[in-house]
Amino acid sequence: MTASDEGDPAVRGGGGPTASGDRDSDGDGGPSGPSGPSGPSGPSRPSGGAGGGITVHRCTVTVVRRGGWSWGPDPRGLVQQVVDTLPERLATHFGPWLAGGGPDVEITEPVTVTVRPGPRPGALPTAADIQVGPVAPTEPPGGGTAAPVPPAEALAAPWQPPGAADLFAELAERGELDALLALLPDESLRTYARALRDAAPAAAARSAAEAARGARPDDGATPSADGTGDAGPGAPSGPPAAHPAAAGRAEPGRPGRADQDRPATRAPAPRGSATAARPATGEVRVWSALPFLLTGPLARVGYLDAVAPALAGARLADDAPLFAAALAYKVLKATGRGWRRDERDSEAAAAFAGLAPPVPEQALTRFADTARPALPVLDGVLALAVCRGHDPADPLLLTGAGGGLLLLDAQGVFPVAWTSGAAELLPHWRNSGRPAVLVCDGPLPPGTLGVLDAAAVPFLTGVRPLRGEPAVRLPWRTPLWTGAARPLADPALAAALPGHTARTADLVSALAERRAVPLARHAALERTAALAALLGLSTLAWTLWRDRETPDPLLALGRFADLEATVRHETGAVRVRVPLGRRHADLLRGGLLADVPDVPWLGGRPLTFTGG
């Protein structure tokens, strides 16, 4: 069975096993479901009547997604539903030849079954969505023998990243667009407003071109603001599936991802791009596979799917490898003297980003400045995913970090947001269900406790309030304070506060030692990369160790940082081979070595993991 995606040519499948729905060739008339590959042979000649039969030697199913960038919450289940309908559809199509008294016929031309996904994610396609018909022959110029239908891989075009309109349409489908827009600063709002306005003429031109070609009105392609078609609902969202608040969330994956050997081409970077003319090729040994292990958790919450649209809205789609390099540096070795990098770290970051080493430091610094409007979109997508899965009965952790405030989910230390002041954290607190907040020791910006108390946030802290800050001291064996507007005197939270304080202090120290962009003038990219890295590390720790010890992202950082790997950059995929052993077994058992499709900084190529 093959699966193709007209909106995303890089995920085309072809040349793999074929699914055949048939009736037994010995004439017993017993229908069978989809089977394995069938060898080539001549057409069969049914004799008609009850004893006749038809053998389908090759049946190719093509699942077409027109526009959008999501296959829904259960993409592999969608493929299985489509395949399950084959016996009935083929029986309906060949019914006239199997009826009693019918003439003897010989089918010599290919037959195609075209299926469009249902109206909702995971919905079974209706009869109107499935069509069976002959393949139109292709006649070469000047007559002659009809040319064979080319395989899907021959039709593959350079991967095109989705646009910002696709991301916003997806958020609107989930009812989260307003929440995201409320988190964006004015600079980001202006940037994406211009991007959507500039994309409108392209959408109109695409609609006119489709009308000129006689596009059918019911083919499921609805032009969007950027001309790529409306986004399909149900992209992977929510907190990591291993988190208790995210039970039942769909795992990542889309139809056709299993065919990893199909070719895919990467769109060439424009002249002058930081990534131009330096793609990684061949095989390289890296000292740490940890950056690669982050992609699966990030894909699971929909963060990975948001990277390309967010950068495209700021006209930085070709600089996605630089974002990947910054992400990798946050989980590699500490930077010496605050800015010096180890040579092995540069090689590992370049391999992760799909670039030839070393990653150009000046280009990374420029990217940190130019990407500032796009980064709040990524931060907002991450925050909404974690807040959506937060249990209001569990507290949030707040600590000072890098001149700002870092907000964390106490269960698993999942990151929520990293802002400059307390006022920017209030929307995240509301989106999390207005839980209690434990303010851990750290350099808090002035007025933090006052802002929390004015918003009626129930907080508990061991940080001594500044003069004039509204706080009430509790009768506890150690100095503790709570808000005056909404006092919080929970002995369980008071007993847990010292442990949370120690964990957050170690976490902030580890983040400060690992600089993603040490020469940047602004901290926006540093914070965005830190949030994404923390989300991946927290997911690893929660998935593997939550049943036997307190999950902590620093556990994953310490236990997987020196896991070596061999990375091979191929035309159709990037393959990571992890040495066999206890760590490989744990990762495999936890589902953390699953293939990751459509990695944006790899030109849409999938990232695959093997052991050996």
Side-chain angles (χ1 to χ4, degrees):
M1 187 200 74
T2 62
S4 67
D5 178 353
E6 294 191 356
D8 189 353
V11 301
R12 291 184 184 273
T18 61
S20 62
D22 59 38
R23 290 183 178 270
D24 296 342
S25 58
D26 58 3
D28 63 2
S32 63
S35 64
S38 59
S41 61
S44 63
R45 180 184 295 273
S47 59
I54 290 180
T55 300
V56 179
H57 292 288
R58 182 176 179 86
C59 176
T60 301
V61 180
T62 304
V63 181
V64 179
R65 185 191 70 202
R66 298 186 182 276
W69 55 290
S70 172
W71 284 100
D74 189 12
R76 300 189 187 278
L78 173 63
V79 174
Q80 187 59 45
Q81 290 175 353
V82 170
V83 173
D84 290 343
T85 63
L86 279 179
E88 178 184 355
R89 300 300 171 184
L90 292 175
T92 302
H93 176 72
F94 294 116
W97 289 277
L98 294 174
D104 292 347
V105 296
E106 180 175 331
I107 302 175
T108 60
E109 296 181 355
V111 176
T112 61
V113 180
T114 304
V115 183
R116 293 193 302 271
R120 301 298 300 170
L124 189 66
T126 63
D129 297 322
I130 302 178
Q131 298 180 357
V132 180
V135 175
T138 302
E139 182 175 349
T145 306
V149 178
E153 52 264 46
L155 302 176
W159 181 76
Q160 295 296 331
D166 295 313
L167 175 62
F168 292 151
E170 192 71 28
L171 293 170
E173 287 282 350
R174 300 202 302 261
E176 294 182 345
L177 181 58
D178 292 341
L180 177 68
L181 296 179
L183 300 175
L184 301 184
D186 292 341
E187 180 183 15
S188 297
L189 292 174
R190 289 193 296 267
T191 297
Y192 287 96
R194 287 194 298 268
L196 297 177
R197 180 193 61 198
D198 295 342
R206 179 177 180 271
S207 299
E210 289 183 348
R213 291 196 304 266
R216 299 182 347 177
D218 60 343
D219 62 356
T222 304
S224 62
D226 67 345
T228 61
D230 64 352
S237 60
H243 195 288
R249 297 285 184 183
E251 293 292 328
R254 295 176 183 172
R257 298 306 197 277
D259 300 326
Q260 300 297 347
D261 57 343
R262 77 273 185 269
T265 54
R266 178 178 177 180
R271 184 174 300 177
S273 170
T275 62
R278 293 195 61 83
T281 57
E283 190 172 279
V284 62
R285 184 76 174 179
V286 295
W287 79 274
S288 177
L290 185 54
F292 297 92
L293 299 179
L294 303 180
T295 54
L298 294 179
R300 189 175 302 177
V301 301
Y303 186 91
L304 205 65
D305 284 339
V307 172
L311 295 180
R315 299 182 179 180
L316 296 172
D318 294 311
D319 289 332
L322 298 177
F323 175 81
L327 175 60
Y329 282 136
K330 294 304 292 185
V331 296
L332 296 173
K333 290 183 179 179
T335 48
R337 299 183 181 179
W339 59 273
R340 297 182 62 180
R341 302 198 191 279
D342 188 279
E343 182 179 355
R344 297 194 303 168
D345 288 346
S346 298
E347 294 175 352
F352 177 66
L355 301 176
V359 178
E361 200 69 34
Q362 292 182 347
L364 191 59
T365 303
R366 288 195 301 269
F367 174 73
D369 292 334
T370 57
R372 290 180 63 191
L375 300 179
V377 175
L378 296 176
D379 296 343
V381 170
L382 183 147
L384 290 175
V386 178
C387 291
R388 189 188 312 114
H390 177 76
D391 187 348
D394 296 326
L396 295 175
L397 305 180
L398 181 63
T399 186
L405 292 171
L406 179 60
L407 187 65
L408 304 164
D409 186 334
Q411 290 293 326
V413 199
F414 291 96
V416 179
W418 194 341
T419 64
S420 300
E424 293 91 335
L425 292 176
L426 296 179
H428 304 296
W429 170 71
R430 299 187 187 98
N431 292 335
S432 300
R434 302 174 182 266
V437 177
L438 301 181
V439 183
C440 303
D441 291 343
L444 302 178
T448 297
L449 299 183
V451 173
L452 297 179
D453 187 73
V457 177
F459 69 86
L460 186 67
T461 182
V463 179
R464 185 176 298 275
L466 300 177
R467 179 175 297 179
E469 286 186 326
V472 177
R473 182 166 181 173
L474 297 176
W476 193 252
R477 57 178 176 267
T478 57
L480 289 179
W481 288 266
T482 185
R486 193 175 173 185
L488 178 64
D490 188 340
L493 294 179
L497 181 59
H500 289 310
T501 298
R503 294 165 66 191
T504 56
D506 293 341
L507 182 62
V508 171
S509 176
L511 293 176
E513 293 174 353
R514 294 164 172 81
R515 301 293 301 277
V517 197
L519 303 180
R521 296 177 298 173
H522 308 284
L525 180 57
E526 195 78 37
R527 294 178 178 179
T528 297
L531 290 173
L534 278 181
L535 180 57
L537 294 173
S538 299
T539 304
L540 290 173
W542 182 275
T543 303
L544 297 177
W545 307 305
R546 70 182 184 276
D547 294 331
R548 63 187 186 191
E549 58 186 313
T550 303
D552 190 308
L554 292 184
L555 292 178
L557 183 62
R559 295 174 181 177
F560 289 111
D562 61 348
L563 178 62
E564 296 182 350
T566 300
V567 183
R568 183 171 183 81
H569 296 86
E570 301 177 356
T571 303
V574 175
R575 308 187 188 279
V576 180
R577 188 170 70 251
V578 180
L580 298 177
R582 177 64 180 273
R583 289 183 290 185
H584 174 271
D586 290 343
L587 292 169
L588 186 63
R589 185 166 48 252
L592 297 169
L593 294 182
D595 296 349
V596 183
D598 291 347
V599 180
W601 51 80
L602 299 179
R605 290 175 293 175
L607 181 66
T608 68
F609 293 91
T610 58

